[in-house]
């Protein structure tokens, strides 16, 4: 697809945002490998991590092609500093306990299914194709995380308390999922990407219904994090990237 001179840098920035979301969340989930509470969850979380990192790889490849500056997907993933990442603050939050990880995942998954469903209608054929494959994976991710939220919230007193604490901690980051800025609006008007604002009501409705069924109460904390898409992050991202990027930065250009 032929992009205009203004659309090309805008789409590149947009692709980075959504690739970064998936790379960072996938890395977070990979930290559970060998540490999950049961073997089935060890395998499930590892597979979801692989799905997300695979989606990130596809988006980085497309971003590199759109940019046309000779950078590779590895360059975009491993050779940018924390302030150059555009992922949501939600996905960089530490795993905490099992309830924290699954609550973070559920909030993201409920948005991601809606986002990818709409992204399949993109006028950019390669982006629509990436979304089509990722949408199938996201549906499984949502079923998995939603089932766990119901089990934890409406389970034992301890699991309920931990799930409620996780929700209280993460809710301040959730509203950014469907928060659109000028870049989103510009590309949506061109038919390249979904209208994020249009997803907000259905996302909140599903989240509210599932949390109610899990006997969990929506927090009333007025504070809401913002600025992720402009490079504003919590302190957790720098530590995560230091670990994730240490090998390619220590041995630049290495092939294996």
């Amino acid at each position: 697809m032929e992009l205009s001179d203004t659309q090309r840098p805008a789409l590149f920035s947009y692709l980075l945002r959504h690739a970064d979301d998936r790379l960072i969340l996938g890395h977070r989930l990979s930290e559970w490998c060998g540490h999950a509470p049961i073997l089935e969850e060890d395998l499930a979380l590892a597979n979801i991590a692989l799905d997300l990192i695979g989606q990130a790889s596809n988006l980085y490849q497309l971003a590199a092609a759109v940019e046309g500056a000779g950078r590779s997907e590895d360059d975009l993933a491993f050779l940018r500093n924390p302030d150059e990442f555009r992922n949501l603050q939600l996905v960089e939050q530490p795993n905490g306990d099992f309830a924290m990880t699954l609550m973070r995942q559920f909030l993201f998954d409920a948005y991601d299914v809606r986002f990818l469903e709409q992204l399949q209608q993109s006028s950019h054929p390669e982006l629509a194709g990436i979304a089509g494959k990722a949408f199938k994976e996201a549906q499984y991710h949502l079923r998995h995380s939603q089932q766990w939220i119901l089990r934890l919230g409406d389970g034992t007193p301890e699991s309920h308390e931990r799930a409620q604490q996780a929700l209280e901690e993460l809710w301040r980051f959730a509203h950014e999922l469907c928060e659109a800025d000028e870049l989103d609006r510009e590309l949506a008007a061109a038919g390249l990407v979904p209208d994020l604002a249009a997803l907000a009501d259905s996302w909140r409705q599903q989240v509210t219904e599932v949390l109610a069924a899990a006997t969990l109460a929506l927090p009333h904390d007025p504070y809401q994090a913002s600025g992720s898409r402009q490079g504003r992050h919590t302190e957790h991202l720098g530590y995560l990237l230091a670990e994730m990027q240490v090998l390619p930065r220590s041995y630049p250009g290495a092939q294996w």
Side-chain angles (χ1 to χ4, degrees), residues 55-84:
Q55 294 169 19
S57 178
N58 289 334
L59 290 168
Y60 282 135
Q61 286 181 36
L62 181 56
V66 168
E67 182 188 35
R71 288 199 286 182
S72 69
E73 59 183 293
D74 285 346
D75 293 332
L76 296 175
F78 299 120
L79 300 182
R80 287 184 296 140
N81 296 322
D83 62 341
E84 297 175 285

Short mmCIF file of all heavy atoms in Angstrom, two decimals, residues 55-84:
data_model
loop_
_atom_site.label_atom_id
_atom_site.label_comp_id
_atom_site.label_asym_id
_atom_site.label_seq_id
_atom_site.Cartn_x
_atom_site.Cartn_y
_atom_site.Cartn_z
N GLN A 55 3.66 -11.65 17.95
CA GLN A 55 2.92 -10.49 17.41
C GLN A 55 3.82 -9.26 17.36
O GLN A 55 3.80 -8.49 16.38
CB GLN A 55 1.70 -10.22 18.29
CG GLN A 55 0.64 -11.31 18.26
CD GLN A 55 -0.41 -11.12 19.33
OE1 GLN A 55 -0.57 -10.03 19.88
NE2 GLN A 55 -1.13 -12.18 19.66
N ALA A 56 4.60 -9.06 18.42
CA ALA A 56 5.52 -7.92 18.45
C ALA A 56 6.52 -8.01 17.30
O ALA A 56 6.80 -7.00 16.62
CB ALA A 56 6.26 -7.88 19.78
N SER A 57 7.04 -9.19 17.05
CA SER A 57 8.01 -9.38 15.97
C SER A 57 7.40 -8.99 14.63
O SER A 57 8.04 -8.29 13.82
CB SER A 57 8.47 -10.84 15.95
OG SER A 57 9.37 -11.06 14.88
N ASN A 58 6.17 -9.42 14.37
CA ASN A 58 5.51 -9.08 13.10
C ASN A 58 5.31 -7.57 12.97
O ASN A 58 5.51 -6.99 11.89
CB ASN A 58 4.17 -9.79 13.02
CG ASN A 58 4.30 -11.29 12.81
OD1 ASN A 58 5.29 -11.75 12.27
ND2 ASN A 58 3.32 -12.05 13.26
N LEU A 59 4.91 -6.93 14.05
CA LEU A 59 4.69 -5.48 14.01
C LEU A 59 6.00 -4.72 13.85
O LEU A 59 6.06 -3.70 13.14
CB LEU A 59 3.94 -5.03 15.26
CG LEU A 59 2.48 -5.49 15.35
CD1 LEU A 59 1.92 -5.24 16.75
CD2 LEU A 59 1.63 -4.77 14.31
N TYR A 60 7.06 -5.17 14.52
CA TYR A 60 8.36 -4.52 14.36
C TYR A 60 8.88 -4.67 12.92
O TYR A 60 9.48 -3.74 12.38
CB TYR A 60 9.39 -5.12 15.33
CG TYR A 60 9.28 -4.65 16.75
CD1 TYR A 60 9.35 -5.57 17.80
CD2 TYR A 60 9.11 -3.31 17.08
CE1 TYR A 60 9.26 -5.15 19.13
CE2 TYR A 60 9.02 -2.89 18.39
CZ TYR A 60 9.09 -3.82 19.41
OH TYR A 60 9.00 -3.40 20.72
N GLN A 61 8.68 -5.85 12.34
CA GLN A 61 9.10 -6.04 10.95
C GLN A 61 8.39 -5.05 10.03
O GLN A 61 9.01 -4.43 9.15
CB GLN A 61 8.81 -7.47 10.50
CG GLN A 61 9.73 -8.52 11.07
CD GLN A 61 9.40 -9.92 10.56
OE1 GLN A 61 9.01 -10.08 9.41
NE2 GLN A 61 9.55 -10.90 11.42
N LEU A 62 7.09 -4.92 10.22
CA LEU A 62 6.33 -3.98 9.39
C LEU A 62 6.76 -2.55 9.67
O LEU A 62 6.90 -1.74 8.75
CB LEU A 62 4.83 -4.16 9.65
CG LEU A 62 3.90 -3.26 8.83
CD1 LEU A 62 4.15 -3.41 7.33
CD2 LEU A 62 2.44 -3.55 9.17
N ALA A 63 7.01 -2.23 10.94
CA ALA A 63 7.45 -0.88 11.29
C ALA A 63 8.79 -0.56 10.62
O ALA A 63 8.99 0.55 10.10
CB ALA A 63 7.58 -0.74 12.81
N ALA A 64 9.71 -1.52 10.63
CA ALA A 64 11.01 -1.30 10.00
C ALA A 64 10.85 -1.06 8.50
O ALA A 64 11.53 -0.20 7.92
CB ALA A 64 11.92 -2.49 10.27
N ALA A 65 9.95 -1.80 7.87
CA ALA A 65 9.72 -1.61 6.44
C ALA A 65 9.08 -0.25 6.16
O ALA A 65 9.45 0.43 5.19
CB ALA A 65 8.82 -2.73 5.91
N VAL A 66 8.14 0.16 7.00
CA VAL A 66 7.49 1.46 6.82
C VAL A 66 8.49 2.59 7.03
O VAL A 66 8.50 3.58 6.28
CB VAL A 66 6.29 1.59 7.80
CG1 VAL A 66 5.78 3.03 7.85
CG2 VAL A 66 5.17 0.65 7.39
N GLU A 67 9.36 2.44 8.05
CA GLU A 67 10.35 3.49 8.32
C GLU A 67 11.33 3.62 7.16
O GLU A 67 11.71 4.73 6.77
CB GLU A 67 11.10 3.18 9.61
CG GLU A 67 12.11 4.26 9.98
CD GLU A 67 12.99 3.86 11.16
OE1 GLU A 67 13.33 2.66 11.28
OE2 GLU A 67 13.35 4.75 11.94
N GLY A 68 11.79 2.47 6.64
CA GLY A 68 12.70 2.49 5.51
C GLY A 68 14.07 3.06 5.80
O GLY A 68 14.72 3.62 4.91
N ALA A 69 14.54 2.91 7.06
CA ALA A 69 15.83 3.48 7.44
C ALA A 69 16.90 2.41 7.64
O ALA A 69 17.98 2.71 8.16
CB ALA A 69 15.67 4.29 8.74
N GLY A 70 16.59 1.18 7.25
CA GLY A 70 17.59 0.11 7.36
C GLY A 70 17.64 -0.56 8.71
O GLY A 70 18.51 -1.41 8.94
N ARG A 71 16.75 -0.18 9.62
CA ARG A 71 16.74 -0.84 10.93
C ARG A 71 15.96 -2.15 10.84
O ARG A 71 15.02 -2.29 10.06
CB ARG A 71 16.12 0.06 12.00
CG ARG A 71 17.01 1.21 12.39
CD ARG A 71 16.61 1.82 13.73
NE ARG A 71 15.40 2.63 13.66
CZ ARG A 71 14.89 3.29 14.69
NH1 ARG A 71 15.49 3.21 15.89
NH2 ARG A 71 13.80 4.03 14.55
N SER A 72 16.35 -3.11 11.69
CA SER A 72 15.68 -4.40 11.73
C SER A 72 14.74 -4.46 12.92
O SER A 72 14.72 -3.56 13.78
CB SER A 72 16.72 -5.53 11.85
OG SER A 72 17.33 -5.49 13.15
N GLU A 73 13.96 -5.54 13.00
CA GLU A 73 13.08 -5.73 14.16
C GLU A 73 13.90 -5.84 15.44
O GLU A 73 13.48 -5.35 16.50
CB GLU A 73 12.21 -6.97 13.98
CG GLU A 73 13.01 -8.27 13.81
CD GLU A 73 12.12 -9.47 13.56
OE1 GLU A 73 11.38 -9.86 14.48
OE2 GLU A 73 12.19 -10.03 12.45
N ASP A 74 15.07 -6.47 15.38
CA ASP A 74 15.93 -6.57 16.57
C ASP A 74 16.43 -5.20 17.00
O ASP A 74 16.54 -4.91 18.20
CB ASP A 74 17.11 -7.50 16.30
CG ASP A 74 16.71 -8.97 16.30
OD1 ASP A 74 15.59 -9.28 16.76
OD2 ASP A 74 17.51 -9.80 15.84
N ASP A 75 16.77 -4.35 16.04
CA ASP A 75 17.21 -2.99 16.38
C ASP A 75 16.11 -2.26 17.15
O ASP A 75 16.38 -1.58 18.15
CB ASP A 75 17.55 -2.20 15.11
CG ASP A 75 18.77 -2.75 14.38
OD1 ASP A 75 19.65 -3.33 15.05
OD2 ASP A 75 18.84 -2.58 13.15
N LEU A 76 14.88 -2.39 16.69
CA LEU A 76 13.77 -1.69 17.32
C LEU A 76 13.46 -2.25 18.71
O LEU A 76 13.06 -1.52 19.61
CB LEU A 76 12.52 -1.77 16.43
CG LEU A 76 12.64 -1.06 15.08
CD1 LEU A 76 11.41 -1.31 14.23
CD2 LEU A 76 12.86 0.44 15.27
N ALA A 77 13.66 -3.54 18.88
CA ALA A 77 13.36 -4.16 20.17
C ALA A 77 14.47 -3.97 21.19
O ALA A 77 14.20 -3.73 22.38
CB ALA A 77 13.11 -5.66 19.98
N PHE A 78 15.73 -4.04 20.74
CA PHE A 78 16.84 -4.14 21.69
C PHE A 78 17.75 -2.92 21.74
O PHE A 78 18.59 -2.83 22.64
CB PHE A 78 17.69 -5.38 21.38
CG PHE A 78 16.94 -6.66 21.49
CD1 PHE A 78 16.80 -7.51 20.40
CD2 PHE A 78 16.36 -7.04 22.70
CE1 PHE A 78 16.10 -8.70 20.51
CE2 PHE A 78 15.66 -8.23 22.81
CZ PHE A 78 15.53 -9.07 21.72
N LEU A 79 17.62 -2.01 20.81
CA LEU A 79 18.57 -0.89 20.76
C LEU A 79 17.90 0.47 20.95
O LEU A 79 18.43 1.49 20.52
CB LEU A 79 19.35 -0.92 19.43
CG LEU A 79 20.17 -2.19 19.18
CD1 LEU A 79 20.92 -2.09 17.86
CD2 LEU A 79 21.13 -2.48 20.33
N ARG A 80 16.75 0.47 21.62
CA ARG A 80 16.12 1.73 22.01
C ARG A 80 16.15 1.86 23.52
O ARG A 80 16.09 0.86 24.25
CB ARG A 80 14.67 1.79 21.51
CG ARG A 80 14.56 2.00 20.01
CD ARG A 80 13.10 2.15 19.58
NE ARG A 80 12.36 0.94 19.84
CZ ARG A 80 11.11 0.88 20.30
NH1 ARG A 80 10.46 2.01 20.59
NH2 ARG A 80 10.51 -0.26 20.48
N ASN A 81 16.24 3.08 24.00
CA ASN A 81 16.28 3.35 25.44
C ASN A 81 14.87 3.42 26.01
O ASN A 81 13.89 3.56 25.27
CB ASN A 81 17.03 4.66 25.70
CG ASN A 81 18.48 4.57 25.29
OD1 ASN A 81 19.13 3.55 25.47
ND2 ASN A 81 19.00 5.65 24.72
N PRO A 82 14.72 3.36 27.33
CA PRO A 82 13.38 3.37 27.93
C PRO A 82 12.50 4.53 27.49
O PRO A 82 11.31 4.35 27.24
CB PRO A 82 13.67 3.43 29.43
CG PRO A 82 14.99 2.73 29.58
CD PRO A 82 15.77 3.11 28.34
N ASP A 83 13.07 5.73 27.35
CA ASP A 83 12.24 6.88 26.97
C ASP A 83 11.81 6.84 25.52
O ASP A 83 10.99 7.66 25.08
CB ASP A 83 12.96 8.19 27.28
CG ASP A 83 14.24 8.37 26.50
OD1 ASP A 83 14.78 7.36 25.99
OD2 ASP A 83 14.72 9.51 26.39
N GLU A 84 12.36 5.90 24.73
CA GLU A 84 11.95 5.74 23.34
C GLU A 84 10.85 4.69 23.18
O GLU A 84 10.31 4.53 22.09
CB GLU A 84 13.16 5.34 22.49
CG GLU A 84 14.26 6.40 22.45
CD GLU A 84 15.48 5.92 21.69
OE1 GLU A 84 16.24 5.10 22.22
OE2 GLU A 84 15.68 6.39 20.55
#
